[in-house]
Amino acid sequence: MALRNTNSAHSYTSVTRFLPALSHKSTFGTWHEYFWVSYDHDVEQFQDAVESFFSKQPDWGFYDYLSLLHANLLSTSLSQADPEDYDARTVMAMVIYIVRGEKFDPGVLLDFLEHGVVQRWLQRLQDTEQDNRTL
Protein backbone atom coordinates (compact mmCIF):
# COMPACT_ATOMS: atom_id res chain seq x y z
CA MET A 1 0.00 0.00 0.00
CA ALA A 2 1.52 3.32 -1.01
CA LEU A 3 1.44 6.22 1.35
CA ARG A 4 -0.28 9.33 0.16
CA ASN A 5 1.82 12.37 -0.43
CA THR A 6 -0.34 15.36 0.21
CA ASN A 7 2.45 17.81 -0.69
CA SER A 8 1.44 20.06 2.16
CA ALA A 9 3.09 20.90 5.43
CA HIS A 10 1.79 18.87 8.32
CA SER A 11 1.41 20.09 11.87
CA TYR A 12 2.93 17.84 14.51
CA THR A 13 2.30 20.33 17.33
CA SER A 14 -0.12 18.00 19.12
CA VAL A 15 2.84 15.66 19.64
CA THR A 16 5.82 18.02 19.78
CA ARG A 17 4.24 20.03 22.59
CA PHE A 18 5.50 17.29 24.93
CA LEU A 19 9.15 17.93 24.04
CA PRO A 20 9.87 20.33 26.94
CA ALA A 21 8.34 17.99 29.53
CA LEU A 22 10.07 14.90 28.15
CA SER A 23 13.41 16.67 27.79
CA HIS A 24 13.57 17.70 31.44
CA LYS A 25 12.69 14.40 33.07
CA SER A 26 15.09 11.99 34.67
CA THR A 27 12.54 9.19 35.12
CA PHE A 28 9.69 8.32 32.80
CA GLY A 29 8.15 5.26 34.35
CA THR A 30 8.59 2.27 36.62
CA TRP A 31 8.93 -1.40 35.76
CA HIS A 32 6.52 -3.75 37.51
CA GLU A 33 7.73 -7.33 37.76
CA TYR A 34 9.33 -7.09 34.28
CA PHE A 35 5.92 -7.44 32.68
CA TRP A 36 4.77 -3.87 32.26
CA VAL A 37 5.78 -0.29 32.84
CA SER A 38 3.67 2.28 34.59
CA TYR A 39 4.47 5.58 32.93
CA ASP A 40 4.27 8.96 34.57
CA HIS A 41 1.48 11.34 33.66
CA ASP A 42 3.42 13.28 30.98
CA VAL A 43 4.39 10.08 29.15
CA GLU A 44 0.84 8.76 29.30
CA GLN A 45 -0.44 12.03 27.83
CA PHE A 46 2.24 11.83 25.12
CA GLN A 47 1.15 8.29 24.25
CA ASP A 48 -2.47 9.42 24.05
CA ALA A 49 -1.50 12.35 21.81
CA VAL A 50 0.40 10.06 19.43
CA GLU A 51 -2.51 7.62 19.26
CA SER A 52 -4.93 10.50 18.69
CA PHE A 53 -2.71 11.94 15.96
CA PHE A 54 -2.52 8.52 14.32
CA SER A 55 -6.27 7.97 14.35
CA LYS A 56 -7.27 11.50 13.33
CA GLN A 57 -4.93 11.91 10.35
CA PRO A 58 -5.92 9.16 7.89
CA ASP A 59 -5.25 11.36 4.85
CA TRP A 60 -1.61 11.75 5.90
CA GLY A 61 -0.99 8.07 5.20
CA PHE A 62 0.28 6.93 8.59
CA TYR A 63 -1.86 3.80 8.72
CA ASP A 64 0.89 2.05 6.79
CA TYR A 65 3.71 3.45 8.94
CA LEU A 66 5.54 0.11 8.87
CA SER A 67 5.91 0.28 5.08
CA LEU A 68 7.14 3.85 5.34
CA LEU A 69 9.77 2.84 7.88
CA HIS A 70 10.79 -0.20 5.88
CA ALA A 71 11.17 1.84 2.70
CA ASN A 72 13.16 4.65 4.33
CA LEU A 73 15.20 3.00 7.05
CA LEU A 74 16.01 -0.33 5.43
CA SER A 75 18.56 -1.91 7.80
CA THR A 76 19.13 1.08 10.08
CA SER A 77 18.28 0.53 13.74
CA LEU A 78 15.70 3.00 15.02
CA SER A 79 17.82 3.74 18.07
CA GLN A 80 20.78 4.59 15.83
CA ALA A 81 18.88 6.49 13.14
CA ASP A 82 19.81 10.15 12.93
CA PRO A 83 16.52 12.05 12.65
CA GLU A 84 18.28 14.76 10.62
CA ASP A 85 18.61 12.21 7.81
CA TYR A 86 14.85 11.77 7.47
CA ASP A 87 11.83 13.85 6.55
CA ALA A 88 9.14 14.67 9.09
CA ARG A 89 6.78 11.92 7.91
CA THR A 90 9.41 9.27 8.47
CA VAL A 91 10.31 10.68 11.88
CA MET A 92 6.63 10.74 12.87
CA ALA A 93 6.34 7.14 11.71
CA MET A 94 9.24 6.31 14.05
CA VAL A 95 7.36 7.91 16.95
CA ILE A 96 4.18 6.04 16.09
CA TYR A 97 6.08 2.77 15.80
CA ILE A 98 7.64 3.06 19.26
CA VAL A 99 4.47 4.24 20.99
CA ARG A 100 2.38 1.51 19.39
CA GLY A 101 5.18 -1.02 19.92
CA GLU A 102 4.84 -0.59 23.68
CA LYS A 103 1.71 -2.74 23.49
CA PHE A 104 3.72 -5.69 22.16
CA ASP A 105 7.13 -5.04 23.73
CA PRO A 106 6.68 -3.49 27.19
CA GLY A 107 9.45 -1.06 28.04
CA VAL A 108 10.48 -0.20 24.49
CA LEU A 109 9.16 3.34 24.87
CA LEU A 110 10.86 3.65 28.24
CA ASP A 111 14.20 2.65 26.73
CA PHE A 112 13.88 5.12 23.87
CA LEU A 113 12.90 7.91 26.27
CA GLU A 114 15.71 7.15 28.73
CA HIS A 115 18.28 7.30 25.92
CA GLY A 116 16.86 10.56 24.53
CA VAL A 117 15.88 9.03 21.19
CA VAL A 118 12.23 10.09 21.26
CA GLN A 119 13.28 13.57 22.35
CA ARG A 120 15.63 13.87 19.34
CA TRP A 121 12.80 12.79 17.05
CA LEU A 122 10.42 15.33 18.54
CA GLN A 123 13.06 18.03 18.20
CA ARG A 124 13.42 17.14 14.51
CA LEU A 125 9.66 17.42 14.01
CA GLN A 126 9.59 20.76 15.78
CA ASP A 127 12.55 22.07 13.76
CA THR A 128 10.92 20.92 10.52
CA GLU A 129 7.74 22.80 11.37
CA GLN A 130 9.69 25.95 12.20
CA ASP A 131 11.59 25.66 8.91
CA ASN A 132 8.30 25.33 7.01
CA ARG A 133 6.95 28.47 8.68
CA THR A 134 9.95 30.53 7.60
CA LEU A 135 9.72 29.52 3.95
Side-chain angles (χ1 to χ4, degrees), residues 44-61:
E44 286 180 350
Q45 286 188 316
F46 169 69
Q47 289 174 296
D48 290 345
V50 171
E51 288 293 342
S52 178
F53 177 93
F54 178 77
S55 65
K56 292 180 180 178
Q57 308 299 338
D59 60 323
W60 288 12

Side-chain angles (χ1 to χ4, degrees), residues 89-105:
R89 285 181 73 208
T90 303
V91 174
M92 188 63 207
M94 294 174 184
V95 172
I96 292 168
Y97 178 78
I98 293 304
V99 168
R100 299 197 104 215
E102 181 68 23
K103 296 174 185 176
F104 306 103
D105 187 8

Side-chain angles (χ1 to χ4, degrees), residues 25 56 65 71 93:
K25 287 190 170 299
K56 292 180 180 178
Y65 63 93

Side-chain angles (χ1 to χ4, degrees), residues 31-49:
W31 273 103
H32 294 275
E33 300 183 27
Y34 300 103
F35 296 114
W36 63 280
V37 177
S38 65
Y39 286 101
D40 76 6
H41 183 69
D42 290 329
V43 177
E44 286 180 350
Q45 286 188 316
F46 169 69
Q47 289 174 296
D48 290 345

Side-chain angles (χ1 to χ4, degrees), residues 1 36 61 78 113 117:
M1 173 183 205
W36 63 280
L78 279 180
L113 286 165
V117 176

